[in-house]
Amino acid sequence: MEANEFVVRMEKITKIYPNGIAANRDVDFAIRKGEIHALIGENGAGKSTLMKILFGLEQPTDGTIYLNDERVTLSSPLEAISKGIGMVHQHFMLVPSLTVAENIVLGMAPTKGGLFIDYKEAVRLTREYSEKYNLFVEPDARVADIAVGMKQKVEILKALVRGAQVLILDEPTAVLTTQETVELFQELKNLKEQGFTIVFISHKLKEIKELTDRITIMRAGRSVGVYDTDTISEQEISRLMVGRDVVLRMDKPESVPGERVLCVEDLHYINEWDKKMLDGISFSVRQGEIVGIAGVEGNGQRELVDILFGLKVPDSGDAMIDGQSLIGLPQARIRTLGVSYVPEDRMTFGVAQTANIQENMVSDRFSQKRFNKGPLFNMKSLYDESDKLIMDYAVLCKSRSQEVGMLSGGNIQKVVVAREFSSDPILIIADQPTRGIDVGATELIRNKLVELSRAGAAVLLVSADLNEVMELSDNLIVMYNGQIAGYFDDGQWDDVMMGEYMLGLKRQSDEEIRRACHA
Amino acid sequence: MFGQFFQTIFQADFLFIIIRITAPILFAALAAVISEKAGVANIGLEGMMMITALFGFLFAYWTQSWVVGVLGAMLIGILLGLMMGFFSFKLKTDIILSGIAVNMLGTGGTIFLLYMFTGLRGNTGALVSPNILIPTIDIPLINKIPILGDMLSGHAILTYLAFIFVFVMRTFLYRTPLGLKIRAVGENPNAASSVGVSVIRMKYIAIAMSGALAGLGGAFMSMYYSQGWNQGMVAGRGFIALAAQAMGRGEPVGAMFSSVLFGLAQAMKTKVSGLRGMASYNYLIEMIPYVVTIIGLVFYAVSIKRKARRHQLRPIKEKLQ
Amino acid sequence: MRDKRMVLFGFVRGAAAIALALAVGTIFIFLSSDEPFTALKYLLIGPFVSFHGGVTAFNTQNFYQVLAAMIPTIFTGLAVCVMFSANQFNLAAEGCVLVGGFVGALVGIYVNMATGWHAVICVLAATVVCGLIMLIPSILKVKLGASEMVTSLMLNFVLLYIVLHFLNYHFADRSKGATMTYPFLDSAKISSIVPGNSKLTWGFVIALVISFVIWVFMYRTRWGYAIRMIGINESFSLYSGMNVGGTIVLSSVIGGMLSGMGGSLEVLGRYNTFVWRELPGYGWTGVTIAILAKNNPGLVPLAAFFLAYLNKGCQLMSTHSDVPSEMIDIIQAAIFLFFAAEQFLSGYRQKLVVKTTREELMKAESLKATEGE
């Protein structure tokens, strides 16, 4: 194998973020000229970080990058662009009120006499590239008015016009409809034929098998292997991707499910880009059980949780707590029904950073009688409450009056969890409860979840961390493409099997899935 | 009474007054437009106008040249803009607060500076001479047309400039690469920086231009409109301009129309208060532009909200059909 | 450790901002004055010290005047604190002071009441009216999302002209040369608490009491708590189940009530008739005070004192030297800019953070080491 057949070589890349998380460890990554190369891995496996380094958005802590065998440092996206690397971000970097052509030439607009934008030239340029690479766009349309599929093409064109030879596409199909995906694949194959090199980040095995030449699989910040796509089976990919070093099973008492607390019936939700995010989801959660929802991110979990906590209204279907529908209720009402919620984005929804621990601990209950004496707060009971919670949840802090923002991630999450778990909830929705936090806090939060469920609470656990859902859940739902792909209530699951359901290789019969309703 | 009212309204000199009164508001409104386009809320326009009005006049007095005065006012405006930028972009003072600080400088600081430079207190009445005021021009041909000539001809050079700048500004924003970059920065800074456009630099440029335009407005006030600088001269025009910008949907032409609306209301006040029976309503008439602004903002807010809601409900509607 | 250092850092930074602002002021004094040292003397110690006949002594009357000047600004400072705490850039305190003064004056002139209660009713009427006025920008904000900043700025002018209209055409005392109302009834006047002509009235005591009350409200009641949490993080508050819209309206209404109260206490305490013909500017001073006090009502009197002192110093400076009193605005603007600058001295802050983190890490390491033994 000749070295110079690689357009990009990244060697021994290590990236340690200031908060101490090692996102990449000694990763080797190489792309051949003119191939479509898949980069695959679970959320948090380090794919994005690796690509951010290649696009100059992040600097590696260690390691070297070669472009066409020349050692380079990429200190900014501008530098990466000038060296022929283009990136299509998952969240589009477009200006909605500008036209397609204006977006494409932004920062490098052609001029007439050096003063005015030569808009005709911009349109011509857009057309030229659009035709040359078979990426159909309307140059004069405002970006705000065009469909997602076209926005993506605009992004690709933006990179091509700037002379990109290597295109990085970060989960490009996550936002696309099926038809748009088919189109995109055709376009990407086209580009490949014209000599472009493409890095394709995805979770979807079928797409990868269909589109790519080679595949690099990442797990926990390391590369676990590079394969020719033809020579590796989907099962094998799935195993490598989710496989675990140690199999842990928590010792938890047997669950004795009681009455149904949460009933979700046939939820449908289409997002603002007309993509079907929930496609007939029905299940229930009973007293005393933990129902886990596993799945690769972007398969409808986010929307499901948002609907259950009043942020989104479904197009059809219902969700009920003890027989009362919670659709369209304000958060305050949902809470009084006995729902508590550990949000995925704890810094936005979980805490008020510059308020102190005590204040954060009582944000859902401060108006209760026991904390007030007439118009005034009963400070003693507020202090007692927070001190008790700090103790119970082992929040590492100097005192209850320390600012929450000054705590470590794990301790911030403990504050959130302490509040949410201590309101005598009948249903706990825990969305990624242990993401990005230390082992100690993770352990504590998991134990508390089990404890609460055994004391009678219904728990809905949504997590992209497969280990977590497999360990904690009494019953397990796998979501794929806005639907339930499988429901498991026998405790007999392993990572290989999960991987196959999560990645859409397998699906249970409707009969089996319907068991999730416990009707 | 109404007969007399309409008689007064439909006179060439009334329209002349409207145009004259609109000009400074228009400069400031354009100043608000350009900074807002870059995502910078310039609440300091009021103070900027006060300060530049003073310096414009002083520069003109020192050099006995109105041109130097106008250019000096623009320069000071640019410096004030850059100062606000430095505190807000570099030292992270909230942009609203740096704007308020500039307004403070505008109310009291100007009096201090006037005294410091001239020994005068409160106004520059003593220094006024015709050659430092902005000259008016008669437009050949047009000034011969009855009514229209009286209305359009004989304004100060800066008055014409204000209206010309509306279209210059529109061209700048929509037809030049720099304008494109400024709009992109205001709307989606991430998108702009992802293609190598420096967000901070664009914001500096926008607020400096905003300062220059406020400078023109200030110079117009002291060197033409009030014939000299005095303390209460700007009288909230900077704030009105902010409202004109918002009501004009942030576009130069829209801002022009809302500025004319304010000009109209103020012109009415001067006219109507001279009429029998209307005199005792002069303050209420003076209030009109501000009430109109609030109403305009409400309509604007409602329309945006409705648009957003329609967007959100779309999938449901489709389902129902 | 970290918290203590940060508190210390806060003080250092505040002091540095003030010192820098005074330095800017000094530069301007040296640039403009022929007698800069006299000017500086009066600016800095004038409010406390009298220099009659070469004898320096504590100047009681001046001191009282400084305290008296705090009356309206404490109220507007508190008002702005409450509104800024809810993250509302509502600037209508300015107009509300004027209206409060006017309403207080009218009730003081036209309503005949037993002494004692009359003044109270005047102030209450002003308080209620201004509270209601604030419903306008806050409801427009909450229901329609109209920028409270622009509506409140416009509202200031609307209020000004309404007051001028009624002052000129309905309540003016035609026997006087200037436009003013008839004199207040004696029963409506707020009386002085000290001898002399300093206008240090009961309003000052009330202002201090209200500062405490507002502090209690903000830090010791469920409504104040909700206001603060919404100001820090609206999404968090919504998710916790708070009534965000209602609380924002509440904070604005309280801001209006405080401004109205301050305006009426000032007018009834300082004057005999209503004489304001323009916006008094206390609303803007209130913004500066709120910034200096970091939105903490407990610190408002302190910040108000500082500004009143500075203001008095500037007045004395202008009487006794050739520097105009408007100097205050330059110093105030400079304080404002530096004080509100988050990144001001951020390098120093970063060093403190790094140092603290290192120490904490070392402590953790040594703990681990001892545990290991």
Side-chain angles (χ1 to χ4, degrees), chain B residues 83 96 111 125 154 170 294 304:
Chain B
M83 183 187 86
I96 306 284
I111 299 192
R170 199 177 64 164
I294 294 178
I304 284 188

PDB file of all heavy atoms in Angstrom, chain B residues 83 96 111 125 154 170 294 304:
ATOM      1  N   MET B  83     -16.000  53.064  20.562  1.00  0.00           N
ATOM      2  CA  MET B  83     -15.880  52.955  22.018  1.00  0.00           C
ATOM      3  C   MET B  83     -16.942  51.993  22.559  1.00  0.00           C
ATOM      4  O   MET B  83     -16.643  51.098  23.344  1.00  0.00           O
ATOM      5  CB  MET B  83     -16.039  54.323  22.664  1.00  0.00           C
ATOM      6  CG  MET B  83     -15.856  54.293  24.169  1.00  0.00           C
ATOM      7  SD  MET B  83     -16.248  55.879  24.942  1.00  0.00           S
ATOM      8  CE  MET B  83     -18.003  55.713  25.172  1.00  0.00           C
ATOM      9  N   ILE B  96     -26.694  47.195  25.714  1.00  0.00           N
ATOM     10  CA  ILE B  96     -27.704  48.149  26.180  1.00  0.00           C
ATOM     11  C   ILE B  96     -27.065  49.110  27.188  1.00  0.00           C
ATOM     12  O   ILE B  96     -27.300  50.315  27.170  1.00  0.00           O
ATOM     13  CB  ILE B  96     -28.870  47.412  26.880  1.00  0.00           C
ATOM     14  CG1 ILE B  96     -29.447  46.329  25.990  1.00  0.00           C
ATOM     15  CG2 ILE B  96     -29.934  48.382  27.333  1.00  0.00           C
ATOM     16  CD1 ILE B  96     -30.304  46.803  24.883  1.00  0.00           C
ATOM     17  N   ILE B 111     -22.514  69.257  28.184  1.00  0.00           N
ATOM     18  CA  ILE B 111     -22.479  70.575  28.813  1.00  0.00           C
ATOM     19  C   ILE B 111     -21.093  70.841  29.391  1.00  0.00           C
ATOM     20  O   ILE B 111     -20.522  71.919  29.243  1.00  0.00           O
ATOM     21  CB  ILE B 111     -23.547  70.657  29.920  1.00  0.00           C
ATOM     22  CG1 ILE B 111     -24.908  70.437  29.283  1.00  0.00           C
ATOM     23  CG2 ILE B 111     -23.464  71.981  30.655  1.00  0.00           C
ATOM     24  CD1 ILE B 111     -26.059  70.743  30.144  1.00  0.00           C
ATOM     25  N   GLY B 125     -25.416  79.729  21.491  1.00  0.00           N
ATOM     26  CA  GLY B 125     -26.038  80.864  20.805  1.00  0.00           C
ATOM     27  C   GLY B 125     -25.043  81.946  20.421  1.00  0.00           C
ATOM     28  O   GLY B 125     -25.113  82.506  19.327  1.00  0.00           O
ATOM     29  N   GLY B 154     -35.060  74.173  -1.717  1.00  0.00           N
ATOM     30  CA  GLY B 154     -34.700  75.084  -0.646  1.00  0.00           C
ATOM     31  C   GLY B 154     -34.376  74.412   0.679  1.00  0.00           C
ATOM     32  O   GLY B 154     -34.253  75.067   1.702  1.00  0.00           O
ATOM     33  N   ARG B 170     -29.675  51.027   1.315  1.00  0.00           N
ATOM     34  CA  ARG B 170     -30.271  49.804   0.793  1.00  0.00           C
ATOM     35  C   ARG B 170     -29.316  49.134  -0.186  1.00  0.00           C
ATOM     36  O   ARG B 170     -29.119  47.928  -0.158  1.00  0.00           O
ATOM     37  CB  ARG B 170     -31.601  50.106   0.116  1.00  0.00           C
ATOM     38  CG  ARG B 170     -32.451  48.869  -0.029  1.00  0.00           C
ATOM     39  CD  ARG B 170     -33.779  49.167  -0.620  1.00  0.00           C
ATOM     40  NE  ARG B 170     -33.655  49.660  -1.991  1.00  0.00           N
ATOM     41  CZ  ARG B 170     -34.670  49.705  -2.845  1.00  0.00           C
ATOM     42  NH1 ARG B 170     -35.859  49.311  -2.470  1.00  0.00           N
ATOM     43  NH2 ARG B 170     -34.498  50.162  -4.052  1.00  0.00           N
ATOM     44  N   ILE B 294     -45.625  52.789  19.764  1.00  0.00           N
ATOM     45  CA  ILE B 294     -46.009  51.638  20.589  1.00  0.00           C
ATOM     46  C   ILE B 294     -47.008  50.779  19.817  1.00  0.00           C
ATOM     47  O   ILE B 294     -46.862  49.550  19.747  1.00  0.00           O
ATOM     48  CB  ILE B 294     -46.612  52.101  21.932  1.00  0.00           C
ATOM     49  CG1 ILE B 294     -45.525  52.802  22.754  1.00  0.00           C
ATOM     50  CG2 ILE B 294     -47.181  50.922  22.708  1.00  0.00           C
ATOM     51  CD1 ILE B 294     -45.982  53.344  24.083  1.00  0.00           C
ATOM     52  N   ILE B 304     -45.285  38.916  13.745  1.00  0.00           N
ATOM     53  CA  ILE B 304     -44.221  37.926  13.876  1.00  0.00           C
ATOM     54  C   ILE B 304     -44.720  36.696  14.608  1.00  0.00           C
ATOM     55  O   ILE B 304     -44.483  35.563  14.221  1.00  0.00           O
ATOM     56  CB  ILE B 304     -43.020  38.531  14.641  1.00  0.00           C
ATOM     57  CG1 ILE B 304     -42.260  39.461  13.713  1.00  0.00           C
ATOM     58  CG2 ILE B 304     -42.108  37.437  15.163  1.00  0.00           C
ATOM     59  CD1 ILE B 304     -40.976  39.962  14.301  1.00  0.00           C
TER      60      ILE B 304
END
